[in-house]
């Protein structure tokens, strides 16, 4: 909580904690909830996208992501902040 990033990038499949769970934790914290969260995952099913949205993710991209799309989505999230 001492470090406030401008944007958080998460994958769903991470080694120590599921990205959906971490997103829920971030979005439930009053200090961190306004930080935009972008999920970037190889999982492309509708259930994963829905879970990410329900967890509070601001954006969901499916890997592989084109650099142009990746940069434009980051820019959108940072400008909306």
């Amino acid at each position: 909580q001492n470090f406030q990033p401008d944007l958080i990038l998460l994958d769903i499949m991470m080694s120590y904690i599921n990205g959906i769970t971490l997103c829920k934790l971030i979005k439930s914290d009053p200090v961190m909830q306004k930080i935009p969260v972008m999920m970037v995952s190889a999982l492309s099913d509708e259930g994963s996208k829905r879970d990410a949205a329900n967890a509070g993710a601001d954006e969901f991209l499916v890997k592989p992501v084109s650099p142009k799309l990746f940069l434009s989505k980051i820019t959108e999230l940072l400008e909306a902040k």
Side-chain angles (χ1 to χ4, degrees), residues 5-6 12 16 23 26 28 31 37 39 47 68-69 77:
D6 293 320
I12 292 176
Y16 294 105
C23 185
I26 291 165
S28 68
V31 174
V37 174
M39 303 290 297
K68 184 176 180 177
L69 176 63
L77 289 172

Side-chain angles (χ1 to χ4, degrees), residues 5-78:
D6 293 320
L7 173 72
I8 297 172
L9 299 174
L10 296 176
D11 195 341
I12 292 176
M13 299 180 294
M14 300 189 306
S15 57
Y16 294 105
I17 187 170
N18 176 293
I20 300 293
T21 302
L22 183 55
C23 185
K24 286 179 187 176
L25 290 170
I26 291 165
K27 292 300 186 171
S28 68
D29 184 323
V31 174
M32 300 185 70
Q33 67 186 5
K34 293 187 180 183
I35 300 170
V37 174
M38 179 187 292
M39 303 290 297
V40 184
S41 181
L43 300 176
S44 61
D45 61 283
E46 290 305 313
S48 295
K49 293 175 185 179
R50 183 181 56 250
D51 290 347
N54 289 339
D58 300 283
E59 186 63 63
F60 188 99
L61 298 177
V62 178
K63 295 179 196 177
V65 180
S66 77
K68 184 176 180 177
L69 176 63
F70 189 66
L71 183 57
S72 92
K73 293 298 182 178
I74 288 173
T75 302
E76 285 176 24
L77 289 172
L78 291 176

